[in-house]
Amino acid sequence: MTSLPDRFRAAARGAGATAPDADLDAAANYLLGRWSEPQRHYHDVTHLASVLDVVDRFAGLAPNPDRVRLAAWLHDAVYDPRALGDANERDSAEFAEGLLLSLGVPEEVSTDVARLVGLTAGHATEETDPDGELLCDADLAILASDDERYVAYTSAIRREYAHVPDDAFRAGRTQVLNALLELPSIYRHADIRAEWEDRAQANLKAELEDLA
């Protein structure tokens, strides 16, 4: 199995990075350190690998799959459960652009990867943005899990927000779930939607009932 640093190096090269392999490996390992921070219970290396696996599986749906892979690596590079609003996504996007430029990724590509990272704040994409659709679909793949994995996911999210009182957490989580259900569809690519949409809709609605 290809290691995660190898996967980062391949995606960076595919996106035009000119830095030496040693610098690309150092960047990958630095990112893995971030993904392993103690406040992460769901948004961790396992989530990163899962998102990358979905991107790889459906790479043919995106015109620039290596940009999507890099955005997957960077979309939660900054993750503080105490941050307000979309601060994590905005900070991750800014970090992404700076890191990629330092690795010799062309400015146009670095800017586009940062844009993709920002989309994960609300997972709302345009039909003319298949790269963004794939990233968001991959990021939300967990929502179509079986019962056991979905319960593990919601439990991990609750641990990340252990500092939030129960009533406030229920209100915030309800808002997040309703926002997802108000999207035209949870999954934007037709192939992915056909496979996962019904299951994800059922999971979210069941969780809303539990929260109520």
Side-chain angles (χ1 to χ4, degrees):
M1 180 178 295
T2 306
S3 72
L4 285 172
D6 287 343
R7 294 169 79 173
F8 178 83
R9 190 188 324 115
R13 287 281 181 243
T18 58
D21 283 352
D23 290 352
L24 297 179
D25 289 345
N29 287 316
Y30 174 73
L31 288 170
L32 288 172
R34 282 181 170 256
W35 282 93
S36 301
E37 292 165 340
Q39 77 275 18
R40 299 170 183 260
H41 299 279
Y42 170 68
H43 294 89
D44 57 9
V45 174
T46 298
H47 172 59
L48 167 63
S50 296
V51 173
L52 289 170
D53 287 347
V54 174
V55 173
D56 285 350
R57 178 183 171 191
F58 294 102
L61 300 176
N64 301 291
D66 283 322
R67 296 186 190 187
V68 182
R69 292 182 179 101
L70 290 177
W73 271 91
L74 291 155
H75 79 285
D76 285 321
V78 178
Y79 187 72
D80 178 3
R82 297 177 183 270
L84 299 178
D86 62 354
N88 284 324
E89 290 83 4
R90 287 187 285 106
D91 290 346
S92 292
E94 181 179 355
F95 173 79
E97 187 166 12
L99 177 67
L100 295 178
L101 286 172
S102 76
L103 297 175
V105 175
E107 182 175 0
E108 175 189 356
V109 177
S110 299
T111 299
D112 191 44
V113 172
R115 178 190 67 81
L116 292 171
V117 169
L119 292 176
T120 61
H123 300 94
T125 59
E126 301 292 335
E127 292 181 359
T128 55
D129 185 14
D131 289 339
E133 289 182 331
L134 179 55
L135 176 65
C136 290
D137 285 357
D139 191 31
L140 297 177
I142 187 69
L143 302 181
S145 300
D146 60 32
D147 290 345
E148 182 177 357
R149 191 172 176 216
Y150 194 83
V151 168
Y153 152 68
T154 57
S155 297
I157 292 293
R158 186 65 184 103
R159 290 197 299 277
E160 288 186 344
Y161 288 89
H163 59 283
V164 178
D166 285 343
D167 287 349
F169 178 82
R170 282 196 295 271
R173 182 68 179 170
T174 296
Q175 184 177 9
V176 168
L177 297 178
N178 280 327
L180 289 169
L181 289 170
E182 288 168 2
L183 293 171
S185 59
I186 295 172
Y187 303 108
R188 305 306 302 276
H189 278 291
D191 291 354
I192 296 175
R193 186 166 61 248
E195 184 171 343
W196 291 344
E197 185 75 19
D198 289 347
R199 180 65 186 175
Q201 291 267 349
N203 281 336
L204 267 61
K205 291 172 183 176
E207 186 183 353
L208 280 170
E209 290 182 6
D210 290 342
L211 289 168

